[in-house]
Amino acid sequence: MIRLYKKIVPLSIAVFLLSLAAQHLSAQSLLLQERDNSTISLTSELAAFTNIADLPSYREGTSMLQTSSYDRTGWNDDGFSGRFSFVRRNPDSSLVLFDAKGPGVVNRIWTPTPTEDSLDFYIDDTTRPAFTIKYLDLFSGKVFPFVAPLSNNQLGGYYCYLPIPFQKQCKIVLRAKQTQFYQIGYRSVPQGTPVKKFDTNLSTEEKTALQQVQSLWNKESLTATDFINAKKQGSPQVTRSNFQLRPGEKRTIFQVAKGGRIVGLELEPAALFEGLAKNIDIKITWDGETQPAVYSPVADFFGYAFGNRSMQSLLIGSRGKTAYSYFPMPFNRSATIELIYRKTPNNNAEPIGITSRVYYLPQARNTTQEGKFYAFWNHQPSLPLGQPHLLLKASGKGHYVGTALQTRGLEPGMTGFFEGDDSTIVDGRMTMHGTGSEDYFNGGWYAMMDRWDGPLSLPLSGALDYNLPMSRTGGYRLFLTDKIPFSKSIHHTIEHGPEHNMAPGTYTSVAYYYSDAPPTEAVSPATVDTRVTLPDTLMIYPQLLTLNTFGDINIRRRWRWHTGGEAVIFTATAGEAAVRVHLQEVPDGAYKVFLDYAQHPEGSGFSLWQRQTPLTDWKPSHINTNDTVRVERQYLSDVTLTPLNHTLTLRFKADGAKNQFFLNRIILVRKEE
């Protein structure tokens, strides 16, 4: 090299250039060393929730790991019996839930079954607890610093995201003889990394960092500028476009031929991307790569669920009239963002008007410290039995930062397919194993009132949908302080069914991640049918029904293993009584109505009505035996549901002691048009 320089420039200049290059490499080395050896503290960990600009940055030499109550035998006892719900039992019968050598950080604690028992946290000192707190109060918001929104309970799950750094060791002991479901996620960091161990007496700096998280997460309306450090990054350039898009057309909404980063993407009106077709796609390409970084239906990328707007997470979703993404997306040399309106058979739709805004900063990707943003879309109309659904399989260096998942069972009935566990294999090693699908999304107890029973959005996680008659649900989760680093590869999956992936279903997922390598293969929306399919048979369980009652009537609930859900016993205490059932989750249309009910000695008379119109004569549910006989599928009537007439009413007639009606399920079967 020096001989070549001598031929071209004087030696003094060559020496100067080599010296300059050496200084640059030395500075980079020092920067990396400073980055890797900087002190980990509660303040630095909390900053990761607000300094979203750092999300693309690699975490060198770290691992995300998890201790959980999953069934090691491969079955579904992930906490029901408590058999796997502790690391070890102490001589006094208390339970060690977690025990890890440092240095590291506990990033997430989740359970759907907290108790009034005490938790002892041993941090670096194994002889006495650093602090003790009731298990429930870890999530109640009553004990500082375990406050909302980092500690909370919604959707049946209780979660704590307040980081707990430790230098030597962290051990968590529950003063109880038994517990059930739990997950504790933690990050191990290289030996020698300085860590300021957690203390419940927060410093002024730590309190300020916590308040910054609360302020950001509680803000009613977020924009791209909320995630940009204007002092360090400057103000973004905004590319706006207003255009018409016709079926069969595509439109480039952003293109640049130099390095930079996308820090915001907004599309309006968000309602345009609703509906069952999902035939408008977003395609993002970095640096001329052969595989797109993002290629997905717009609806799936922004967390819509089964044709409806749903997700309102911190960084991606839809709010009001805007579909938004605030993931920072650095690139090296070029970027192209396209919208594609796929032309489908019999698609004679009119052009649609779209407004797009792309927020851009002219700061090229730091190739040694940052990954590029990718989103892997995977649509499986029919899941292969015996194999889990693939969330992401990728090679290279990077980290995983988010999941959006829509699921529907192909067999009518309870959503048992959502019992499946998640599994994460990083660099050939299993690092995390979950306890159930709603657990992965910080929820718990699907199909139970005020738990996992409908859509609800939180900053980092939520339910996209829960529709028991349609046998479908979905969820999302962002990984910020707990982003999952990989050096060579990641294989992230989720089961369908309680065990062995035997529940037939349709799964659609988007995995959000950063990497130094583009995907080697991808599912293209152009090659598959992306339409949302609707079942022909709808099972309506009493446990989530919205009811109005008339007359003197009592209601009792009872679990029925043979139906997979709760049954209801209606007792008409005097004369006639009625229960009106609201079918707001059932699409309009014509159906055949069947009942799954029980005949028994105390059975009352019953009939089916639609408002004031009788659909059947009075029918008995009484039998002259001491047995209870299940009638699984009794046809009653045809019915048409419209926006103005979307209920059914069951009327009961008591005859002395014959005053009970035992309802297992209402079954609707769509009539052929």
Side-chain angles (χ1 to χ4, degrees), residues 352-365:
I352 57 176
I354 298 176
T355 298
S356 65
R357 289 184 295 273
V358 180
Y359 298 79
Y360 164 76
L361 288 168
Q363 300 166 353
R365 168 179 170 246

Side-chain angles (χ1 to χ4, degrees), residues 220-231:
E220 289 187 6
S221 181
L222 293 167
T223 66
T225 55
D226 289 303
F227 302 101
I228 298 170
N229 188 328
K231 291 183 179 179

Side-chain angles (χ1 to χ4, degrees), residues 426-437:
V426 170
D427 300 336
R429 170 193 175 199
M430 191 181 78
T431 55
M432 292 186 284
H433 196 294
T435 56
S437 299

Side-chain angles (χ1 to χ4, degrees), residues 34 37 62 95 267 326 337 359 393 461 478 498 504 562-563 586:
E34 181 184 352
N37 293 332
T62 69
L95 304 175
L267 300 178
Y326 301 133
I337 303 178
Y359 298 79
K393 182 179 181 181
S461 59
L478 301 183
H562 52 260
T563 68
V586 177

Side-chain angles (χ1 to χ4, degrees), residues 635-652:
Y635 170 74
L636 293 184
S637 175
D638 289 3
V639 68
T640 298
L641 301 179
T642 71
L644 300 179
N645 199 1
H646 217 80
T647 63
L648 291 174
T649 299
L650 283 168
R651 293 179 178 263
F652 311 112

